[in-house]
Amino acid sequence: MASSTTTTTLSDLPDVILSTISSLVSDSRARNSLSLVSHKFLALERSTRSHLTLRGNARDLSLVPGCFRSVSHLDLSFLSPWGHTLLASLPLDHQSLLALRLKICFPSVESLNVYSRSPTSLELLLPQWPRIRHIKLLRWHQRASQIPLGGDFVPIFEHCCGFLESLDLSAFYHWTEDLPPVLLRYADVAARLLRLDLLTASFTEGYKSSEIVSITKSCPNLREFRVACTFDPRYFEFVGDETLSAVATNCPSLTLLHMVDTASLANPRAIPGTEAGDSAVTAGTLIEVFSGLPNLEELVLDVGKNVNHSGVALEALNSKCKKLRALKLGQFQGVCSATDWGRLDGVALCGGLQSLSIKNSEDLTDMGLVAVGRGCCKLTKFEIQGCENVTVKGLRTMVTLRRMTLTDVRISCCKNLDTTSSLKAIEPICDRIKKLHIDCVWSGSEEEVKEKLETSETNHQDDDDDDDDYERSLKRCKYSSEAEHCSTSDGNGFFSEERVWEKLEYLSLWISVGEFLTPLPMTGLDDCPNLEEIRIKIEGDCRGKRRPAEPEFGLSCLALYPKLSKMKLDCGDTIGFALTAPPMQMDLSLWERFFLTGIGSLSLSELDYWPPQDRDVNQRSLSLPGAGLLQECLTLRKLFIHGTAHEHFMNFLLRIPNLRDVQLRADYYPAPENDMSTEMRVGSCSRFEDQLNSRNIID
């Protein structure tokens, strides 16, 4: 008799176990792939999905399926047409019916993201889910003057009074005087808040000192607090010692505190220099604040004005806040003096840090960086910005000391660290680093860059031989047990073999307008076999610049990265003439052609694109050359244009065969109220989406 054998597959597991396995898969792409295995897996994926972002046109909400019953985090902020009041174009009775339909389809919602032009959207939606715990509001348009003071927030505190724990206003333009009265009026709800995010980038002055004191007094149980404010003593009600002390006193349970000057938000790459002036924040008060926040795990203080002699306060931070894991300091002076090799000081004593960012520290030297590398032995993420006394030697030694832990490095605005120097500094971790940001600052032409590289590899000369203290520190580093990997493969201190960035998955680049990207591979970033995503920010004023010597920016040089599939190309801070340019200059359409030429040679599946802008007319629009070049990206699946466009320009994109998701998002302040410069209005968006969705997608 022949024996029959049976094969057990994953589908044979009991539904309870399969459901548990499916619920543990959090990545959206992985869940989508899981749902394609079989009908059983499709049903399991739908029944266990907890996060869902709705795309498509708001008029089609009645077609939303009712199979995602376990969704607890619902995002409605990306519905088309983007930036319009949800359901506002429908009759009132239809609006109520659609809101009820959303409740029936998603009965378990506890977290909601919504674009709120006016409070009417919240009045419709929030009564459907009285158990909401987290709300994120988005609005890049100006606040309507007819909305009463606090009117944007009253529906939240009226309808979510029993369970609200978190409120995120980081992408919501509002008046700072709107929130404090509402928190006072609904004191019981405010007292239950655990997370409050007021780090709104569109502010010009931010929250005043008295408003921050009032908010923290109304929300004594906050665990996370982010706020945009003004530390400049020249401004009325600036933030200083008294405000910081009040925050620590009113919210002693804080585990996360971010306080960022609005000037830093508006211009994050600004280097104030010697004329910056001093803030009203003193080291003594910082010590008191740290003593009052023993549970602090993440701290960001980007002051924008000098905080002098901060080393003593940072030493206290280590002893008072033993749970601290992430720290960002902006304009702090004296963070690590490193005057004595045998003794660590300042931030170098914070040995538990896993993430450290030092910005615009004028007196930070190579010795200080080496001390940070010795003391902060758990660092996985390190960022340095605007530190003009740091050189490639100090940063390289620090990176070498932390070779076994560092996987994420950001280097920007450092005078002595151009592209080539930055890459040499992080060369010891080229086989481990996963995320990297550098500035594309070339020290000469492409030929000069190549010649400089060859010279440095064969005959590197020491420009700092007179720095005896630094040389002695390097020798101690070499022979200490802390720096097992400090020695390099040649006598010049640089690896002689070719660099392979084996684990690099994400690359971020900043480049000044008018410069070229083509020298990038020659700086040592030519071998990145696993690079999947790149972000390029082009910044500067085109006005007054002549036509570039070459016809293209150099995107085609990125074709050497075999796995590159996602790109964010940000030209949003590139300023020029949207209309007719003066003689011998180029308008923005020609600059856009310069930037985008060659993008069709890349095998991109996702692209976020910020067109250049003309601030005088508040126009950030896709031009005809831009649309024509984008249509050459034949592998694109998703395309998000952060600006406006003419409808007939958008129709060019229909020639991309497998393009499935396209959206215009004016997510910059102030977003145009009535877009008269282009044809992309509500009807135009709907017509384009209808054409896009009617096409037959191969897969």
Side-chain angles (χ1 to χ4, degrees):
M1 179 181 294
S3 59
S4 61
T5 60
T6 58
T7 302
T8 302
T9 64
L10 188 62
S11 300
D12 296 322
L13 291 174
D15 289 348
V16 176
I17 297 178
L18 281 177
S19 177
T20 303
I21 295 173
S22 180
S23 63
L24 294 176
V25 180
S26 57
D27 181 69
S28 296
R29 292 177 177 274
R31 293 187 65 90
N32 292 339
S33 299
L34 184 68
S35 66
L36 298 176
V37 174
S38 65
H39 287 288
K40 184 176 183 179
F41 276 64
L42 175 63
L44 280 172
E45 195 282 326
R46 289 177 171 179
S47 64
T48 58
R49 182 182 284 264
S50 60
H51 292 66
L52 188 65
T53 298
L54 284 186
R55 285 284 290 111
N57 202 296
R59 66 182 180 183
D60 299 325
L61 283 178
S62 58
L63 304 178
V64 172
C67 53
F68 298 99
R69 311 288 294 177
S70 299
V71 167
S72 58
H73 297 72
L74 182 62
D75 191 344
L76 302 177
S77 63
F78 294 116
L79 287 171
S80 293
W82 186 92
H84 290 265
T85 301
L86 186 64
L87 310 179
S89 59
L90 301 175
L92 285 177
D93 55 341
H94 289 194
Q95 294 179 19
S96 302
L97 287 174
L98 280 180
L100 183 61
R101 171 67 180 172
L102 288 174
K103 175 186 178 180
I104 295 172
C105 293
F106 310 109
S108 306
V109 171
E110 296 181 354
S111 174
L112 180 66
N113 294 9
V114 62
Y115 197 99
S116 178
R117 289 281 293 270
S118 68
T120 55
S121 300
L122 300 177
E123 292 283 3
L124 280 171
L125 294 173
L126 294 182
Q128 314 303 327
W129 300 293
R131 301 178 68 87
I132 282 184
R133 299 180 181 273
H134 169 78
I135 292 179
K136 179 175 181 178
L137 299 184
L138 295 93
R139 181 170 66 197
W140 292 97
H141 293 81
Q142 297 187 48
R143 179 191 185 279
S145 57
Q146 64 267 24
I147 299 176
L149 195 66
D152 284 313
F153 308 123
V154 168
I156 297 175
F157 289 84
E158 282 279 0
H159 299 293
C160 307
C161 54
F163 298 90
L164 187 66
E165 296 178 353
S166 175
L167 180 60
D168 187 347
L169 305 177
S170 59
F172 183 75
Y173 178 75
H174 58 283
W175 295 345
T176 59
E177 56 266 31
D178 276 327
L179 186 59
V182 178
L183 294 175
L184 289 174
R185 178 180 171 185
Y186 298 92
D188 293 342
V189 184
R192 284 192 289 269
L193 280 178
L194 301 180
R195 290 172 292 277
L196 182 60
D197 192 341
L198 307 177
L199 205 58
T200 311
S202 53
F203 284 150
T204 54
E205 296 183 8
Y207 277 86
K208 299 179 177 63
S209 173
S210 60
E211 293 168 341
I212 294 175
V213 172
S214 174
I215 289 170
T216 54
K217 191 175 293 185
S218 300
C219 308
N221 295 310
L222 283 180
R223 302 289 190 273
E224 299 179 6
F225 183 47
R226 299 175 176 89
V227 63
C229 53
T230 300
F231 286 94
D232 193 337
R234 297 174 297 178
Y235 283 76
F236 176 68
E237 285 211 54
F238 63 90
V239 172
D241 283 347
E242 293 183 3
T243 312
L244 291 177
S245 298
V247 170
T249 302
N250 295 335
C251 303
S253 302
L254 283 175
T255 60
L256 181 149
L257 176 62
H258 290 197
M259 300 185 74
V260 181
D261 191 274
T262 50
S264 297
L265 290 174
N267 189 5
R269 293 179 56 86
I271 303 177
T274 55
E275 70 280 0
D278 296 337
S279 69
V281 178
T282 62
T285 298
L286 287 175
I287 294 175
E288 294 178 7
V289 170
F290 299 153
S291 301
L293 300 174
N295 298 317
L296 207 58
E297 298 177 9
E298 183 173 332
L299 174 64
V300 173
L301 290 176
D302 195 345
V303 178
K305 294 291 179 180
N306 291 329
V307 179
N308 296 313
H309 312 295
S310 63
V312 177
L314 297 176
E315 292 176 8
L317 178 63
N318 173 61
S319 60
K320 304 297 183 182
C321 306
K322 296 184 179 299
K323 298 180 181 179
L324 192 69
R325 295 295 176 264
L327 176 64
K328 180 175 182 178
L329 303 172
Q331 212 77 13
F332 275 59
Q333 311 304 329
V335 293
C336 185
S337 59
T339 55
D340 182 2
W341 171 261
R343 178 182 174 274
L344 298 176
D345 67 290
V347 73
L349 288 174
C350 299
L353 286 179
Q354 297 174 2
S355 174
L356 174 62
S357 174
I358 302 176
K359 176 182 177 183
N360 295 341
S361 182
E362 297 175 2
D363 55 3
L364 181 66
T365 62
D366 287 345
M367 291 289 290
L369 266 189
V370 173
V372 169
R374 292 174 56 220
C376 302
C377 55
K378 297 181 180 179
L379 276 186
T380 60
K381 179 179 180 181
F382 179 67
E383 177 182 8
I384 184 169
Q385 177 179 339
C387 299
E388 298 190 349
N389 292 321
V390 171
T391 69
V392 61
K393 292 171 122 183
L395 182 57
R396 184 183 177 94
T397 306
M398 181 266 178
V399 167
T400 304
L401 286 164
R402 297 276 59 85
R403 183 181 185 278
M404 302 307 296
T405 57
L406 270 181
T407 58
D408 187 345
V409 178
R410 297 180 61 88
I411 307 167
S412 56
C413 304
C414 295
K415 181 176 65 176
N416 298 315
L417 294 172
D418 59 10
T419 310
T420 304
S421 300
S422 298
L423 292 175
K424 286 179 180 177
I426 60 174
E427 190 177 39
I429 59 171
C430 67
D431 59 333
R432 299 180 57 85
I433 190 169
K434 296 180 179 179
K435 294 184 177 181
L436 172 65
H437 170 86
I438 54 174
D439 290 348
C440 292
V441 179
W442 322 121
S443 41
S445 64
E446 295 184 25
E447 291 76 12
E448 291 171 339
V449 171
K450 187 174 182 180
E451 181 180 354
K452 181 180 177 182
L453 279 170
E454 294 172 349
T455 303
S456 66
E457 290 176 355
T458 58
N459 189 24
H460 180 72
Q461 297 182 357
D462 186 4
D463 296 328
D464 299 308
D465 289 335
D466 56 341
D467 193 347
D468 295 335
D469 290 338
Y470 183 74
E471 293 298 330
R472 283 196 294 269
S473 71
L474 287 180
K475 291 179 182 179
R476 286 172 177 164
C477 163
K478 181 176 180 180
Y479 294 110
S480 69
S481 59
E482 296 173 295
E484 179 182 353
H485 300 278
C486 188
S487 59
T488 54
S489 60
D490 62 16
N492 298 322
F494 299 106
F495 288 122
S496 57
E497 67 268 13
E498 294 184 4
R499 286 171 281 190
V500 179
W501 305 81
E502 184 67 34
K503 296 184 179 180
L504 186 64
E505 300 172 351
Y506 174 87
L507 177 63
S508 173
L509 304 171
W510 176 92
I511 188 167
S512 177
V513 67
E515 297 291 334
F516 298 93
L517 190 64
T518 44
L520 180 67
M522 291 183 292
T523 59
L525 269 177
D526 56 327
D527 196 350
C528 306
N530 294 302
L531 182 64
E532 297 179 357
E533 182 175 356
I534 189 168
R535 180 183 181 114
I536 303 174
K537 184 173 181 63
I538 308 171
E539 185 176 355
D541 195 340
C542 298
R543 298 169 298 186
K545 290 186 178 294
R546 293 182 176 271
R547 185 184 300 270
E550 300 294 333
E552 64 175 281
F553 171 60
L555 288 181
S556 57
C557 75
L558 303 178
L560 56 86
Y561 304 127
K563 291 189 177 181
L564 183 63
S565 60
K566 303 177 187 177
M567 175 183 286
K568 294 182 178 179
L569 182 58
D570 187 352
C571 306
D573 287 324
T574 299
I575 306 167
F577 299 102
L579 306 176
T580 304
M584 304 300 294
Q585 296 187 35
M586 301 195 307
D587 60 28
L588 287 182
S589 65
L590 297 180
W591 278 105
E592 199 165 22
R593 173 183 290 170
F594 169 72
F595 295 141
L596 291 175
T597 297
I599 196 171
S601 62
L602 308 180
S603 300
L604 298 176
S605 61
E606 297 183 20
L607 174 62
D608 280 75
Y609 175 57
W610 288 258
Q613 64 169 315
D614 187 335
R615 289 181 179 172
D616 293 339
V617 295
N618 191 31
Q619 182 172 336
R620 187 180 305 190
S621 178
L622 182 69
S623 65
L624 175 60
L629 290 166
L630 288 179
Q631 74 169 350
E632 296 178 3
C633 301
L634 300 180
T635 57
L636 272 184
R637 308 275 296 190
K638 296 183 179 182
L639 173 60
F640 303 117
I641 299 172
H642 301 263
T644 61
H646 288 276
E647 183 177 0
H648 57 288
F649 292 173
M650 294 294 291
N651 289 335
F652 286 15
L653 305 177
L654 297 173
R655 302 174 187 177
I656 303 176
N658 290 319
L659 189 63
R660 300 186 60 178
D661 197 358
V662 183
Q663 191 170 46
L664 295 176
R665 300 173 183 172
D667 49 359
Y668 52 91
Y669 181 82
E673 290 289 340
N674 297 300
D675 185 18
M676 303 303 296
S677 61
T678 66
E679 302 169 1
M680 289 307 292
R681 304 182 183 92
V682 174
S684 305
C685 288
S686 300
R687 286 193 297 270
F688 171 76
E689 289 177 350
D690 289 344
Q691 293 182 72
L692 183 70
N693 296 330
S694 65
R695 301 183 310 157
N696 181 33
I697 304 297
I698 296 175
D699 58 351

